[in-house]
Amino acid sequence: MKILAVLVVGTMLGILATRLTLLHQPPGTITNGPWSTSLTNGSAQSDPYRRAMVAIHGLFALNRSEAIYYSANADSDGRPLDGDCRYAISGRDPDARWWSITAYRDDYLIPNPAHRYSVSKTAIARDASGGFTVQVGGDAGGDNWIPVGPGRFSLSLRLYNPGPSVLSDPAHADLPALKKVSCS
């Protein structure tokens, strides 16, 4: 009976320690404003924590010459993303052949009546200078809008075939800003 109790307690402590580790930035995480990434996604150099995070979150990671995945759980001021607020993602095209920004809740696309889940380089409206602003949350509507509904959410910025400036220095790549506009 003691052996069973020790096994159960040991297993529970192991699961708890793993979950706590995965809730925080794993080793090797690079931040760039509100965006973070790991250059070991999809590589043999990935440590056990990164592999566990990829397995839990269902990310099918390509190697970094094919794609770099940035994620944001907070805005540019460090506040958690909240679906009761409206955000503006603004900037110019990141140095990549193609990119997209997608909203998720608990690792899943967020159901919404507009069936809008992301924006991308080829389907975004631009201003006269070639820049863009994407509204996240609220009831903005239009081509540059991602509805999220109430509750916490995250954003994923995927850069496919990233250019030399991103590959050489992903912590200083020119990525879009993510600012809170208002809250209801």
Side-chain angles (χ1 to χ4, degrees), residues 91-92 126-132:
R92 303 187 69 73
R126 298 172 186 283
D127 60 30
S129 69
F132 61 84

Side-chain angles (χ1 to χ4, degrees), residues 161-174:
N161 294 118
S165 67
V166 177
L167 288 172
S168 66
D169 193 3
H172 296 97
D174 189 17

Side-chain angles (χ1 to χ4, degrees), residues 137-160:
D139 56 3
D143 291 334
N144 293 2
W145 172 55
I146 305 172
V148 294
R152 293 270 175 97
F153 68 95
S154 64
L155 295 168
S156 179
L157 169 62
R158 293 176 178 86
L159 306 182
Y160 291 96

Side-chain angles (χ1 to χ4, degrees), residues 27-131:
T29 298
I30 293 171
T31 59
N32 180 333
W35 306 101
S36 63
T37 188
S38 171
L39 301 182
T40 62
N41 282 348
S43 75
Q45 291 77 35
S46 188
D47 62 53
Y49 297 110
R50 178 62 58 182
R51 289 179 184 181
M53 189 202 73
V54 167
I56 287 172
H57 297 289
L59 174 68
F60 176 69
L62 300 170
N63 70 48
R64 81 176 195 179
S65 67
E66 296 175 295
I68 293 183
Y69 309 92
Y70 288 93
S71 59
N73 296 304
D75 63 20
S76 292
D77 295 324
R79 295 176 293 223
L81 298 177
D82 180 350
D84 290 323
C85 298
R86 188 165 54 95
Y87 298 88
I89 302 172
S90 58
R92 303 187 69 73
D93 285 338
D95 184 15
R97 181 175 291 166
W98 192 82
W99 58 265
S100 69
I101 299 171
T102 308
Y104 292 96
R105 180 169 290 119
D106 299 324
D107 299 324
Y108 292 96
L109 295 173
I110 302 169
N112 63 79
H115 303 289
R116 294 192 53 88
Y117 311 103
S118 66
V119 295
S120 69
K121 177 179 181 172
T122 52
I124 196 166
R126 298 172 186 283
D127 60 30
S129 69

